[in-house]
Every structure is written in C-alpha cells, then in structure tokens.
C-alpha cells in the first residue's frame, strides 16, 4: 500500500500549476533544491518517477500528471475534513488569507479585519493587495482563501471550474478630469468621444480595468485611447489626473470625497458599471472563512445602502 504525504502532494500540485521548480519555490517560500527534494521523496513514496527532463528543466510525466489529478481530490477532501472538524468544535479559529485590488482592500478587507479582531479573535486574517489574475493559482492550490476582484459591463470575467463567484456590489463608472480641464466646467455628463485627444491612465495591461478603458473608448468614442500611464494603484492614477497629465475612468469606491483638484462626471453616452466579486474555492469553507466572508458581504451591503454620493 502506498502511503501518500499530503504535504508532498501539495508540492506536486504547485508544480503542476506553476510549471517550474523556481516558481513553486517562490510561491511557497522554499529554495528550489528543497522543492526538488520533496518531489524526489514523493517519487520514492510511490515507487515511480513523476518528472522527466524538458530542456534545462523538468516537467510532469504521465505518472506525474495522473498523481497530480488524484492530489487535487485528496487535498480537497483534507480541506473539507478540516472544515468539518472546525465546525464541530464550535469555537471559530483558523487562518484566512484574503486579497483584492486596492479599493476593495481599503474599503472592505481592512474593515473586515478590524471586525474579526473584535468579534472573532481566534481567527487570524492575512490580507494582501493582488489582482484576481495573479491570485487564481493560489486559490486553486489553497494558499489563498478569498479574493475580491472586479469586472465591468462588456468585459465579464471567465468563471473557471472549481471557483465560486459572488457579487458584492455594483457601482457606476465616472469620468475623472483635472479641475482645469476644458470639459470640467458645468458639472454635466462628459462624452467619451470628446476625450479623443486626451492622455489616459489605467491599470496595468492584462487587467480588467485596462481592457475596460480601451474597450469603452473604442465602442463609445470610436478611437484608440492613448493609455500612456499604467498603475494598479488608484492613488497614482488620481495624482496623474490632479496634475493634468491624464484623464481616467474610475468607480466611486476608488475616489476621495470632495477633492477640488478633480472633476468627477457621469458618462454622457451610456451608464457603465463595475461589479466587485468575491472568488473562493468551490469546496466546503472552513468556519473562519465563512465568518470572514460574511463580514465582507455585510460591509459591502452597508456601502451599497449608503449610496455613495455622486461627486
């Protein structure tokens, strides 16, 4: 009978997901040699090679791919068992690792951490700023428990198998201009078509926000925007607008209240909306994750109920 070590199976799943020993080492905080040793010990456990040479590196062979498939099932079952045992105990304890884009981290994750500290001191919460695209491998592997991502009208995110998506809130996008911009006066809606000659700022290429800015300018304005500045930090984007170096499309959750250097206007052509979504694994959640997720959902409902004022 083969005795399988769940810890070593985790290394195998990480390798299947990430593709190189260096990437697994970086993700788990080990050296590449340690990762290689753990996989070698797993090969010894099962009595057959799991890796084969591929250029200067290695890849899974047929046996490795077969065992990695079983590892997904076994690790999920172990996670479900831990959740059931924790629920049986009644005392909610454990660690929750949660990430999200900047505005969600600031307005939802940080307040949720404060609530858990007050109401569930046995729950340890670790938060980090991360785009959903970067977080998906960790979600699949169980090194991340919850991520808040965003999606925009006309740019829905794919729904990968094994993931559970839940909408937290919706909010309309706003045109953000420097206060001295020729279109800033009057307070009325601004047409995307009128911003053809402006420089734009957006999040990094490959993100939903960047794709939304490009798609909106193409669809509503009929032009390719000059997205000259790219940052996932909303404050950096806003500072570029303040100094007159760019215009932007941003949701209210990312905007400061009453900034005299900014002119925030509705879109003239259409109402575009952003949705914030939580993404978790489609497996039975541990009680600590259930409690934290509930706190995030309650905070999002409060934001929605407050109906963030138009600026």
């Amino acid at each position: 009978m083969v005795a399988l070590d769940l810890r070593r199976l985790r290394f195998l799943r990480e390798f299947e997901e990430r593709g190189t020993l260096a990437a697994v080492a970086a993700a788990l905080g080990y050296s590449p040699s340690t990762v290689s040793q753990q996989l070698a010990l797993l090969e010894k456990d099962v009595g057959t090679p799991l890796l084969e040479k591929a250029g200067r590196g290695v890849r899974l062979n047929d046996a490795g791919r077969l065992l990695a498939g079983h590892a997904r099932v076994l690790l999920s079952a172990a996670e479900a068992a831990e959740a059931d045992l924790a629920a049986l105990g009644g005392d909610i304890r454990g660690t929750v690792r949660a990430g999200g884009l900047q505005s969600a981290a600031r307005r939802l994750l940080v307040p949720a951490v404060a609530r858990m500290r007050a109401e569930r001191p046995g729950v340890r919460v670790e938060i980090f700023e991360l785009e959903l695209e970067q977080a998906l491998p960790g979600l699949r592997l169980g090194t991340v428990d919850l991520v808040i991502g965003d999606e925009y009208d006309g740019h829905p995110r794919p729904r990968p198998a094994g993931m559970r998506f839940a909408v937290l809130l919706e909010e309309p996008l706003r045109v953000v201009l420097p206060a001295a911009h020729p279109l800033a006066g009057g307070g009325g809606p601004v047409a995307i078509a009128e911003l053809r000659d402006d420089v734009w700022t957006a999040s990094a290429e490959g993100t939903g926000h960047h794709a939304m800015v490009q798609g909106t300018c193409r669809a509503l304005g009929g032009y390719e925007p000059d997205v000259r500045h790219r940052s996932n930090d909303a404050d950096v984007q806003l500072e570029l607008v303040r100094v007159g170096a760019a215009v932007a499309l941003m949701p209210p959750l990312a905007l400061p209240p009453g900034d005299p250097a900014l002119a925030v206007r509705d879109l003239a052509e259409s109402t575009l909306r952003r949705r914030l979504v939580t993404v978790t694994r489609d497996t039975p959640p541990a009680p600590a994750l259930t409690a934290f997720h509930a706190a995030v959902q309650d905070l999002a409902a409060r934001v929605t109920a407050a109906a963030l004022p138009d600026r």
Side-chain angles (χ1 to χ4, degrees), residues 145 239 244 263:
D145 301 304
E239 192 61 24

Side-chain angles (χ1 to χ4, degrees), residues 26-111:
L28 298 182
Y30 294 96
S31 67
S33 63
T34 298
V35 175
S36 180
Q37 290 168 7
Q38 290 299 313
L39 292 174
L41 288 171
L42 182 59
E43 289 180 323
K44 185 176 179 181
D45 290 342
V46 300
T48 188
L50 302 172
L51 305 173
E52 62 187 17
K53 288 287 186 180
R56 295 184 178 180
V58 292
R59 65 188 177 195
L60 294 177
N61 60 17
D62 289 343
R65 287 189 291 273
L66 176 67
L67 185 58
H70 286 292
R72 287 194 293 272
V73 177
L74 292 170
L75 291 167
S76 293
E79 187 176 328
E82 290 176 2
D84 288 344
L85 287 171
L88 189 64
D91 185 19
I92 298 181
R93 295 184 173 276
T95 298
V96 176
R97 296 164 293 270
L101 63 161
Q102 186 193 59
S103 59
R106 178 182 295 164
R107 298 292 299 275
L108 298 175
L109 291 180
V110 171

Side-chain angles (χ1 to χ4, degrees), residues 199-204 210 226-231 236-237 240 245-246:
V199 172
W200 286 82
T201 181
S203 296
H210 190 279
D226 179 5
V227 184
R228 196 175 302 179
H229 309 295
R230 293 171 292 279
S231 174
V236 171
Q237 292 189 42
L240 285 161

Side-chain angles (χ1 to χ4, degrees), residues 262-283:
L262 302 174
V264 182
R265 302 289 181 261
D266 291 332
L267 281 74
E269 297 97 337
S270 176
T271 298
L272 295 177
R273 304 186 73 82
R274 175 180 83 154
R275 283 169 295 282
L276 287 185
V277 297
T278 56
V279 188
T280 55
R281 289 181 299 284
D282 192 14
T283 55

Side-chain angles (χ1 to χ4, degrees), residues 121-143:
V123 176
R124 170 190 170 96
V125 182
E126 302 172 5
I127 68 168
F128 45 87
E129 187 179 329
L130 196 63
E131 294 286 333
L132 180 56
E133 294 85 355
Q134 301 168 301
L136 279 174
L139 276 168
R140 293 191 187 99
L141 294 164
T143 56

Side-chain angles (χ1 to χ4, degrees), residues 106-180:
R106 178 182 295 164
R107 298 292 299 275
L108 298 175
L109 291 180
V110 171
V113 169
R115 180 176 295 188
M116 296 301 285
R117 284 173 58 85
E119 299 178 1
R120 302 289 185 184
V123 176
R124 170 190 170 96
V125 182
E126 302 172 5
I127 68 168
F128 45 87
E129 187 179 329
L130 196 63
E131 294 286 333
L132 180 56
E133 294 85 355
Q134 301 168 301
L136 279 174
L139 276 168
R140 293 191 187 99
L141 294 164
T143 56
V144 177
D145 301 304
L146 179 148
V147 173
I148 300 179
D150 58 0
E151 62 181 10
Y152 299 87
D153 287 346
H155 299 273
R157 287 190 180 276
R159 299 298 200 253
M163 296 291 124
R164 181 181 294 129
F165 285 69
V167 175
L168 279 175
L169 60 84
E170 296 188 1
E171 54 183 347
L173 292 170
R174 299 286 192 250
V175 177
V176 188
L177 308 173

